[in-house]
Amino acid sequence: MTTTIRQAGRATGRLLVAALMTFGTYLSVTVLLIAAIGTLVVVGAWMLPEAVLLIRRIAGAERRQVAGWTGREIPEAYEPLTGTLRERLRTAVRDPGTLADLRWMAAHYVYGWLVLLALPLWPVGLVVDGVWCGLLCRDAVVLPWVVRLADVEARWSAALLEPSPKARLAARVRALTETRADVIAAHGAELRRIERDLHDGAQARLVALSMRIGLAQRAFDRDPDSARKLMEDAQDQAEQALTELRHVVRGIHPPILTDRGLMRAVRALAADSGLEVTVRVEGLLDSGDSRDSGGSGDSGDSGGGDGGVDGSGAAGPSGGPGGVAGSRGYRAPAAVEAAAYFAVAEALTNVVKHSGSPRAAVELVRLRNGLRAVVRDEGLGGADESAGSGLLGIRRRVAALDGVVNVDSPAGGPTMIAVELPCVW
């Protein structure tokens, strides 16, 4: 009986909030009508976009309330109200998301007052269910109807506030447009970085190498000792130039990632980070395993190394979370591996530079339709994307593959950076 009363009380609170939301819609519709009249007479045209924004906020509050009750998020799909007044008016009138909000408001005028049906059930329920449950030890029969009314109100709101396919498509097109712009900007920045590294590093070494070889050729006949010294310097310059080129190549696509796979590449990163890093791998197989057959295997060999790295995780049976039948499935696509690798590398660099923590943990988890990479530390927290921490670069690289980056870094720590990348195994 106590549980039933608690559930009914929570449902009544939900219905009261819905009733207050209905009262708010009355006010917002009044503002909308005033704005529409003002638009017709031109003088108050600026009010219409503001009224639409007010309606969007009320609908957003209802989405959050419904999500809190049902546990299912209702996405928003609005066209942005930006630009000139003419453009904002056109968007306010034509936006399918706003039209869906207006339909919800019209329907909410009726079912938003379901609390009026719920309140009379309380005195009846306390008496009937008190006797029914307390004396006869049966399940409550009246108060559960309060919960059902709240469920009905939430289902109707969820159905009416769900974005239409047209609105979802428009939002998706905008997201892809923004992602493409970010990818182009990131690609341009990457090309400039490579050009700068080649110009300031390898190219300068090669120019010095060419000059020393030329001087050695001129001095070979008259001063063999000087020529020999110049050739030794030229050899040193050649080795330094090769080192610079290897550095540039690793910045484009690390060879270890191609040769040994994401798991070993991340363990190498951890070992070279200077931190005490724990690497946990779940569902990924070693790139050294056979790619021609499914079955079970072990992905949890010890990482070792100077960085204090160990790995754990096991591959399951064929077709399960760990193993995949056929020649595919042991490794993610190259672009996904590269994005995960550079995200982990940047996150570990942030731990070294900003967190003050001597330890970190890395997780690589194979999802059913993707790959998750998580980096945690017990440092100072307070990661700020606008402060040059590299998080913006991670987001751009991941967004290019339609992935998601979640950053949880409260002041005082700990910090968690999680990257999820979709892919087909």
Side-chain angles (χ1 to χ4, degrees), residues 37-48:
I37 295 173
T39 302
L40 291 177
V41 298
V42 181
V43 177
W46 61 272
M47 295 180 60
L48 185 59

Side-chain angles (χ1 to χ4, degrees), residues 42-391:
V42 181
V43 177
W46 61 272
M47 295 180 60
L48 185 59
E50 300 301 323
V52 169
L53 287 176
L54 176 62
I55 292 174
R56 290 182 179 182
R57 293 189 184 98
I58 294 175
E62 177 67 8
R63 287 186 177 93
R64 290 188 293 273
Q65 291 292 329
V66 172
W69 179 259
T70 62
R72 186 179 70 88
E73 296 290 335
I74 303 176
E76 293 184 355
Y78 296 119
E79 295 184 10
L81 286 174
T82 57
T84 63
L85 178 59
R86 182 184 296 273
E87 293 172 343
R88 298 178 69 198
L89 286 172
R90 185 184 299 113
T91 302
V93 173
R94 297 180 179 179
D95 181 22
T98 303
L99 298 178
D101 290 348
L102 292 176
R103 286 196 301 269
W104 163 74
M105 293 176 66
H108 208 244
Y109 274 10
V110 179
Y111 73 85
W113 297 104
L114 287 176
V115 67
L116 299 179
L117 299 178
L119 293 178
L121 294 175
W122 272 97
V124 177
L126 290 175
V127 175
V128 174
D129 290 340
V131 175
W132 193 254
C133 296
L135 297 180
L136 302 179
C137 297
R138 303 289 184 87
D139 293 336
V141 294
V142 178
L143 289 181
W145 280 98
V146 179
V147 180
R148 294 189 184 98
L149 287 174
D151 290 339
V152 168
E153 193 278 336
R155 282 198 300 269
W156 286 352
S157 292
L160 291 170
L161 291 173
E162 191 76 22
S164 65
K166 182 178 180 181
R168 287 178 178 271
L169 179 60
R172 180 62 176 162
V173 169
R174 287 196 304 273
L176 291 176
T177 301
E178 295 173 359
T179 301
R180 182 182 65 179
D182 288 341
V183 170
I184 292 174
H187 179 66
E190 188 72 7
L191 288 178
R192 289 191 295 272
R193 182 191 66 80
I194 294 171
E195 180 182 7
R196 183 176 62 252
D197 289 347
L198 289 174
H199 181 272
D200 297 341
Q203 180 176 330
R205 302 285 185 190
L206 291 174
V207 170
L209 171 63
S210 176
M211 292 176 61
R212 278 174 170 75
I213 292 176
L215 292 174
Q217 287 177 340
R218 294 187 181 92
F220 187 77
D221 293 331
R222 67 175 184 276
D223 192 354
D225 293 335
S226 298
R228 187 178 299 107
K229 181 64 171 60
L230 289 171
M231 291 302 294
E232 292 175 355
D233 293 342
Q235 184 177 3
D236 293 338
Q237 291 288 341
E239 292 175 355
Q240 293 174 3
L242 286 174
T243 302
E244 295 284 349
L245 287 174
R246 291 191 189 99
H247 176 74
V248 173
V249 170
R250 282 197 298 268
I252 299 172
H253 190 88
I256 188 175
L257 190 60
T258 302
D259 299 337
R260 305 180 65 186
L262 178 62
M263 184 169 61
R264 294 190 180 182
V266 168
R267 285 175 177 162
L269 269 179
D272 294 338
S273 66
L275 300 168
E276 182 182 343
V277 184
T278 300
V279 179
R280 188 178 73 87
V281 181
E282 180 180 337
L284 295 178
L285 294 184
D286 199 316
S287 62
D289 296 334
S290 173
R291 299 174 67 99
D292 298 328
S293 62
S296 62
D298 184 13
S299 63
D301 56 320
S302 178
D306 297 334
V309 184
D310 61 17
S312 64
S318 176
V324 176
S327 60
R328 298 183 61 188
Y330 290 120
R331 288 182 59 176
V336 173
E337 285 193 340
Y341 175 87
F342 283 113
V344 172
E346 186 63 44
L348 290 177
T349 301
N350 286 344
V351 175
V352 174
K353 289 183 176 179
H354 307 295
S355 76
S357 174
R359 290 178 297 276
V362 179
E363 294 182 9
L364 298 175
V365 182
R366 174 186 161 179
L367 307 176
R368 182 173 182 179
N369 296 313
L371 174 69
R372 179 191 295 132
V374 182
V375 179
R376 295 183 176 88
D377 69 77
E378 302 295 329
L380 301 175
D384 185 4
E385 296 188 31
S386 62
S389 60
L391 294 177

